[in-house]
Amino acid sequence: MDQLLKGKVAIVTGGTRGIGYAIVKKYIQEGATVVLCGSRESTAQEALAKVKAEFPEAVVDALAPDLTSIESVNKAFAYVKEKFGSVDVVANNAGISQNIPLEKYTEEDIDKIIAVNIKAVFVCSQAAANIMKEQENGGVIINTSSMVSKNGQPSGCAYPASKFAVNGFTKSLARELGKYKIRVNAVAPGITRTDMLAVLPDAMIQPLIKNIPLGRVGEPEDIANAYAFLASDMASFITGDILSVDGGSVV
Ligand code: NAD
């Protein structure tokens, strides 16, 4: 079968572990040149070494821009464009979760989740669009929502709030950027087996599995497959969509 992303250049934020790392690997398998972003230079370089060991032929690089800084992200994306010729796909995957009851929230907690889950998605999309607008074939931006953007969650309300914001941002940007051949979609993962899940108590996870018709939690690869589809030309007429990848979760 032909590779879905042959010749494309993709940037994956939060590409050092979990879902992001699975996206990096899937994009490489599908023929893309990939630049993974980490929150620190050291973790980005560690992930890069790991990917290179697994895919010695891959064209892959790693950066650690401050995703909340317009200047830092523009600089990083310009470097990618300069080095690899284009920026065709930006996967805004970096994110943090919270499980804090409302009364325990500090200003710092609120600012942190807004910075990573909303501001960084905004800043990276702006930098991506600046480059993609000038490209003949536009580009693709894929944001990471969550299944909690349907009905919220019982604690840690800032997390679903941030993902509802991602949905609104995604739908709006799809309308604004369509004329430049830039498609903007989001993937809404269900409960997925990553470090983010590892911090949740089993008592919280088991009842959730009962509400998943497919009867299991997702694997990072399940989510990465959706990222590959949406990044590819197979999804050429899909924009402004929030694609649930959650085993049909009814929570
Ligand atoms: P993870 O904790 O395993 O990985 C998060 C990634 O984000 C890491 O690479 C980390 O370096 C990066 N990151 C975190 N803070 C950052 C910062 N300040 N600057 C730059 N990078 C930063 O999490 P995951 O489970 O792989 O989650 C990835 C995305 O999927 C997140 O947006 C998350 O909200 C979403 N999601 C996850 C689940 C799940 O069950 N795991 C469900 C729904 C949505």
Side-chain angles (χ1 to χ4, degrees), residues 73-111:
V73 172
N74 272 328
K75 201 170 142 203
F77 285 20
Y79 163 86
V80 175
K81 166 90 178 167
E82 173 73 22
K83 185 166 177 187
F84 298 113
S86 62
V87 175
D88 304 300
V89 180
V90 169
N92 283 317
N93 160 77
I96 54 169
S97 69
Q98 285 174 344
N99 184 25
I100 307 167
L102 180 64
E103 66 278 8
K104 297 255 169 66
Y105 263 100
T106 63
E107 278 186 48
E108 201 187 331
D109 296 327
I110 301 165
D111 289 346

Side-chain angles (χ1 to χ4, degrees), residues 15-71:
T16 57
R17 60 173 198 258
I19 291 169
Y21 190 68
I23 297 169
V24 168
K25 292 204 296 184
K26 183 69 186 171
Y27 278 8
I28 288 170
Q29 287 166 336
E30 293 298 339
T33 292
V34 179
V35 178
L36 68 87
C37 297
S39 51
R40 291 195 307 275
E41 190 61 41
S42 58
T43 51
Q45 288 304 321
E46 276 166 32
L48 179 65
K50 212 168 124 186
V51 175
K52 280 185 168 168
E54 198 172 338
F55 302 96
E57 307 294 319
V59 184
V60 55
D61 204 345
L63 297 171
D66 174 356
L67 299 182
T68 63
S69 155
I70 289 179
E71 191 187 349

Side-chain angles (χ1 to χ4, degrees), residues 14 16-17 19 39 93-95 144-146 159 163 189-190 192 194 196:
T16 57
R17 60 173 198 258
I19 291 169
S39 51
N93 160 77
T144 306
S145 180
S146 166
Y159 180 67
K163 297 302 188 179
T192 309
T194 67
M196 200 172 265

Side-chain angles (χ1 to χ4, degrees), residues 3-4 7 13 43 56 59 94 98 102 107 125 129 137 158-160 166 173 198 200 215 217 219 221 230:
Q3 288 175 305
L4 283 177
T13 72
T43 51
V59 184
Q98 285 174 344
L102 180 64
E107 278 186 48
S125 298
N137 294 323
Y159 180 67
V166 166
L173 217 54
L200 296 180
V217 300
E219 300 299 330
E221 293 71 25
L230 286 174

